[in-house]
Amino acid sequence: MTMNNSIDPSVAALLPVAKKQGIATVWDRYKAMQPQCGFGQLGVCCRICWKGPCRIDPFGDGPQRGICGADADTIVARNVIRMIAGGAAAHSEHGRHVALALLGVAEGKLPDYTIRDEAKLRSIATKLGLETAGKDIPSMAKAVALATLWDFQNQDHDKPCSWIESTLTGKRLEKLAGLQVLPHNIDAVVTQIMARTNVGCDADPVNLVLGGIKGALADFNGMCLATEISDVLFGTPQPAVTAANLGVLKEDAVNIALHGHNPLLSEVVCDVALQMEEEARRAGAKSGINIVGVCCTGNEVMVRRGIPLATNYLSQELALVTGAVDAMVVDVQCIMPSISEIGACFHTEIITTMDDSKISGTTHVSFHEATAADNARQIVTLAIAAFRRRNPQRVTIPDFKQTAVVGFGAEAIMGAMGALNADDPLKPLLDNIVNGNIRGIALFAGCNSTRITQDSSFVTIARKLARNNVLLLATGCGAGSFAKHGMMTQEATLEYAGESLKSVLTAIGTAAGLGGPLPLVLHMGSCVDNSRAVAVAVAVANRLGVDLDSLPLVASAPEAMSEKAVAIGTWSVALGIPTHLGTMPQISGSPLVAELLTETAKQLLGGYFIVELDPERAADKLLTTIDERRKSLGI
Ligand code: BF8
Ligand code: SF4
């Protein structure tokens, strides 16, 4: 069966350009990789020691145990929880980086950063149970930073990490504590997963999966602190109107694409670019500097600054094929190594910035918070110099961009609803969930994958859910998909929302001064910002006096691929949320592990995975799940 590469019109426009120039993209390499290894797909290939690789015959004819005696269940469980550890490490390292920056700001050591949201700082301090009375901002910031960093240091196994403890419902915490899966120290939990999956350690698949759940909850903890402290340093998202897709690149500007994840870099580049407009104009760029985003860093600057999003994960290479990107500035995660080679086919500077994330063949500017503005100036100078080398003959900017109304963190959603009911901002949401105008809530998250026509599953599922009056939230590359396809507009609400959802979104949007409805999909930010959706869910659950696993709330990662998505999906299940995966997780070689995560999890945690590759059927299953939840809630 042939599958289209993408439903993104920019991809259709640029793939022939790439082909003509002999540039291979992710889709060419995917094709060349076929057929992919069936053992790997099932999760039954083990490379944990050098007696291997071992693989279990799924048909039962060949070996059923590895050389050491590990069976398919053990191998699958070990493999998947190592993926969770990888995801948790990535998010938490990002979080630690941000927390250390807050400490540096508090101690007056980082002149290029400041505290932009004091109210948020105060609310975090209160949430973490810290003394705020009589404290000035720097000492409060220091206390918050140290309390946060303690989540990486605590050695008392009976004392859970403070962020998770101060975030979830009481009932959820009790349930997780009962299963002994509450993390006490992010680093320790990640290390424990690596240790217990070493050759000759934990071989009990159930025990392994529980260890993985603990790792996923450590990931959640890291995500909460990364998101909230980033708001303190860079501001809490507020609604803004911007645009998405490659048409946001400008022919007459120095185009800088910010790609990666951590706002510590992107925010300073944005600040410095504003100061260097004149230099860009002197180099001949009539429109000065045009900053655009790619992947999650793109989402971060989009929801905080209204910076347009160029594209999401799978089409990152095509941003370069436009020939109009002068510099692609990257930090960590989801950066295809191929951009080095493609950048070299053009005038584009690919600039790596993190000393532990380099790509050979690129320019490395070693970025440090203490010298952030200087480093950023160096980066923007490189971009301007590249602009001078740009060949206008090779520029192909697809004429596709869509308006995107973005910036709906928990605070912005409460703020919009507060316009309807200032005394009780949550009430409009609660009332409309209870009366059925809002049938349920779906959070879309996760990546793109070559296994799915890019963006197609996101769009298909979301349209069906919207028609059925489900309120839609999105983060990460899911949010990127919706932004690119015009689903973050008021027009999309009018076109796709069911009648009752439309009336609710219109009432809130109008009261909030948007002159019409809220957009169809609410952009909550990057992947670490998934914690924002949990904050809203916890507020609703607490008001209804129930736990998260009673809410008509579902999550969907229809195009998931990264280890980070495995970690997020797993904590979503652990928090009690039915979680759809639209790509086949690499666990099906163990019916036992598959059953644990789809069936047993339901009894133990309330949340569970729903694996459904067909987007239409996935939407139906999510609607059924929402209705089941409503029924058991008695609404
Ligand atoms: O953290 S959604 S492809 S960019 S992993 Fe990566 Fe997946 Fe995109 Fe953001 Ni999240
Ligand atoms: Fe094979 Fe066991 Fe080594 Fe894995 S740990 S590679 S199953 S011998």
Side-chain angles (χ1 to χ4, degrees):
M1 196 180 76
T2 51
M3 188 182 85
N4 289 328
N5 295 324
S6 176
I7 58 165
D8 179 343
S10 290
V11 173
L14 286 169
L15 280 182
V17 177
K19 193 166 181 198
K20 203 164 155 205
Q21 308 198 29
I23 295 169
T25 68
V26 69
W27 288 285
D28 298 308
R29 294 187 298 274
Y30 176 62
K31 216 166 138 199
M33 197 55 69
Q34 302 310 311
Q36 284 172 275
C37 173
F39 295 103
Q41 177 61 53
L42 295 170
V44 293
C45 168
C46 184
R47 290 188 304 103
I48 274 170
C49 87
W50 283 354
K51 298 195 301 308
C54 298
R55 60 208 178 3
I56 304 304
D57 183 344
F59 302 110
D61 304 329
Q64 295 302 296
R65 289 192 180 262
I67 296 168
C68 68
D71 63 10
D73 298 327
T74 299
I75 292 174
V76 166
R78 284 196 306 217
N79 285 343
V80 74
I81 80 167
R82 279 197 166 198
M83 291 192 85
I84 292 172
H91 287 138
S92 304
E93 199 50 30
H94 170 162
R96 183 199 334 257
H97 203 156
V98 177
L100 285 169
L102 180 66
L103 183 62
V105 171
E107 292 176 339
K109 293 177 183 160
L110 302 179
D112 302 327
Y113 298 88
T114 171
I115 286 167
R116 291 209 183 129
D117 192 339
E118 295 182 1
K120 183 106 191 202
L121 175 67
R122 198 175 298 277
S123 82
I124 293 174
T126 309
K127 176 184 153 95
L128 294 178
L130 303 169
E131 188 55 65
T132 55
K135 278 216 164 130
D136 60 9
I137 292 299
S139 27
M140 209 185 304
K142 184 163 183 172
V144 165
L146 291 175
T148 299
L149 291 166
W150 190 247
D151 280 359
F152 296 86
Q153 288 157 286
N154 171 39
Q155 301 303 329
D156 178 355
H157 284 246
D158 297 327
K159 171 82 188 81
C161 287
S162 44
W163 277 86
I164 197 166
E165 202 179 26
S166 60
T167 299
L168 296 182
T169 59
K171 285 186 182 137
R172 185 60 23 184
L173 288 168
E174 260 172 48
K175 181 164 279 193
L176 298 174
L179 290 167
Q180 298 184 326
V181 293
L182 267 183
H184 68 291
N185 169 330
I186 297 172
D187 286 346
V189 170
V190 170
T191 304
Q192 280 162 2
I193 290 180
M194 297 314 284
R196 72 195 297 165
T197 53
N198 220 269
V199 60
C201 295
D202 197 353
D204 175 345
V206 178
N207 206 36
L208 282 161
V209 168
L210 285 169
I213 289 172
K214 192 176 194 176
L217 290 164
D219 179 82
F220 173 70
N221 196 81
M223 204 168 270
C224 290
L225 63 92
T227 300
E228 302 296 298
I229 295 180
S230 294
D231 283 355
V232 170
L233 291 172
F234 306 117
T236 303
Q238 286 302 323
V241 182
T242 179
N245 214 336
L246 288 171
V248 302
L249 292 168
K250 293 182 184 164
E251 230 171 275
D252 59 355
V254 174
N255 291 306
I256 301 179
L258 297 173
H259 178 10
H261 282 78
N262 197 329
L264 286 171
L265 167 73
S266 51
E267 284 285 334
V268 182
V269 175
C270 290
D271 287 342
V272 166
L274 287 173
Q275 301 156 13
M276 294 179 68
E277 285 285 335
E278 251 330 289
E279 281 180 64
R281 290 208 167 80
R282 274 203 302 275
K286 287 199 198 70
S287 296
I289 298 173
N290 180 39
I291 304 233
V292 301
V294 178
C295 284
C296 279
T297 248
N299 289 320
E300 295 267 350
V301 289
M302 189 181 211
V303 296
R304 290 207 178 87
R305 291 179 177 250
I307 298 269
L309 184 81
T311 199
N312 54 353
Y313 176 75
L314 212 53
S315 36
Q316 58 183 273
E317 295 165 310
L318 296 181
L320 303 176
V321 173
T322 63
V325 173
D326 301 299
M328 184 174 263
V329 186
V330 307
D331 50 29
V332 290
Q333 303 169 19
C334 301
I335 299 146
M336 291 188 193
S338 61
I339 61 169
S340 167
E341 215 176 61
I342 300 179
C345 294
F346 293 90
H347 69 295
T348 312
E349 280 282 4
I350 307 292
I351 305 173
T352 56
T353 56
M354 296 293 144
D355 290 346
D356 53 5
S357 283
K358 295 185 179 179
I359 307 174
S360 45
T362 64
T363 303
H364 186 69
V365 173
S366 181
F367 182 89
H368 295 279
E369 286 73 56
T371 51
D374 285 346
N375 300 150
R377 254 187 295 279
Q378 204 184 338
I379 288 166
V380 178
T381 305
L382 283 165
I384 295 173
F387 170 82
R388 291 178 188 273
R389 301 195 303 269
R390 191 200 289 175
N391 178 353
Q393 249 68 97
R394 293 187 70 199
V395 171
T396 322
I397 301 176
D399 192 17
F400 299 113
K401 67 175 169 187
Q402 295 277 356
T403 300
V405 185
V406 302
F408 293 94
E411 292 84 349
I413 291 178
M414 294 294 185
M417 291 190 306
L420 270 185
N421 187 336
D423 297 333
D424 189 357
L426 203 55
K427 196 162 183 296
L429 181 61
L430 290 172
D431 288 351
N432 283 297
I433 292 173
V434 171
N435 69 21
N437 282 340
I438 294 176
R439 185 162 162 185
I441 302 178
L443 167 65
F444 284 89
C447 331
N448 291 145
S449 167
T450 35
R451 291 180 181 275
I452 307 271
T453 299
Q454 185 192 17
D455 302 336
S456 66
S457 291
F458 280 114
V459 170
T460 307
I461 300 174
R463 284 192 184 155
K464 191 160 194 177
L465 294 186
R467 248 194 333 272
N468 285 282
N469 301 304
V470 175
L471 178 67
L472 308 177
L473 313 174
T475 59
C477 286
S481 292
F482 296 128
K484 286 192 305 177
H485 294 284
M487 290 175 70
M488 290 178 165
T489 60
Q490 298 185 320
E491 292 74 20
T493 306
L494 299 175
E495 190 173 349
Y496 298 112
E499 285 312 313
S500 60
L501 176 66
K502 197 184 297 177
S503 67
V504 176
L505 293 178
T506 304
I508 298 174
T510 309
L514 295 178
L518 289 175
L520 184 69
V521 184
L522 301 180
H523 192 325
M524 296 197 107
S526 65
C527 277
V528 292
D529 293 342
N530 278 308
S531 59
R532 299 189 195 278
V534 176
V536 176
V538 168
V540 171
N542 281 337
R543 276 292 291 276
L544 293 173
V546 299
D547 193 7
L548 294 166
D549 62 352
S550 297
L551 299 179
L553 166 70
V554 294
S556 175
E559 305 182 22
M561 62 93 200
S562 106
E563 287 180 330
K564 294 180 288 165
V566 181
I568 294 171
T570 308
W571 66 243
S572 173
V573 165
L575 297 194
I577 304 169
T579 302
H580 164 244
L581 293 177
T583 47
M584 189 52 94
Q586 296 175 351
I587 59 165
S588 45
S590 166
L592 188 146
V593 171
E595 191 187 315
L596 264 176
L597 293 170
T598 55
E599 299 293 333
T600 320
K602 198 171 189 169
Q603 284 123 46
L604 286 181
L605 298 156
Y608 51 95
F609 281 109
I610 302 166
V611 180
E612 176 54 69
L613 275 51
D614 179 87
E616 290 283 346
R617 279 203 294 270
D620 291 338
K621 287 184 180 173
L622 291 170
L623 287 168
T624 306
T625 306
I626 285 171
D627 290 346
E628 281 168 13
R629 286 278 170 101
R630 294 191 68 89
K631 204 165 157 210
S632 48
L633 252 185
I635 58 173

